[in-house]
């Protein structure tokens, strides 16, 4: 199995977890040809099983650690 990050397939806020509907941060391409989307929580919860059935795992959970931009008082 190969895990890879594909910059051209970035996840957006419109992509939702197939398990709970939260914003998706993990995209799994299955050997069967299908695709699953998971939030960070469910991606971690199912990661071991997903590795067994995935061709690629696109993981953007690192975006959750990014420091948000703070706007100045003038921009508010």
């Amino acid at each position: 199995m190969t895990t890879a990050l594909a910059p051209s397939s970035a996840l957006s806020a419109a992509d939702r977890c197939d398990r709970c509907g939260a914003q998706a941060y993990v995209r799994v391409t299955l050997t069967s040809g299908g695709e699953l989307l998971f939030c960070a929580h469910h991606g971690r919860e199912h990661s071991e099983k997903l590795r067994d059935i995935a061709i690629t795992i696109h993981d953007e959970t690192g975006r959750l650690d990014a420091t948000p931009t703070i706007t100045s008082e003038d921009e508010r």
Side-chain angles (χ1 to χ4, degrees), residues 1 28 36 38 43 46-54 57:
M1 180 208 57
V28 180
L36 295 172
F38 292 102
H46 301 293
S47 65
E48 194 171 315
K49 291 178 185 175
L50 291 171
R51 284 188 204 104
D52 294 337
I53 61 171
I57 299 175

Side-chain angles (χ1 to χ4, degrees), residues 5-62:
L5 288 177
S8 62
S9 60
L11 295 165
S12 73
D15 293 309
R16 310 312 288 180
C17 177
D18 290 327
R19 191 79 175 116
C20 69
Q23 184 173 346
Y25 288 93
V26 178
R27 175 185 286 123
V28 180
T29 305
L30 305 171
T31 55
S32 63
E35 182 178 271
L36 295 172
L37 299 175
F38 292 102
C39 63
H41 165 78
H42 286 112
R44 282 189 303 272
E45 181 179 339
H46 301 293
S47 65
E48 194 171 315
K49 291 178 185 175
L50 291 171
R51 284 188 204 104
D52 294 337
I53 61 171
I55 294 173
T56 60
I57 299 175
H58 177 90
D59 185 351
E60 295 185 8
T61 56

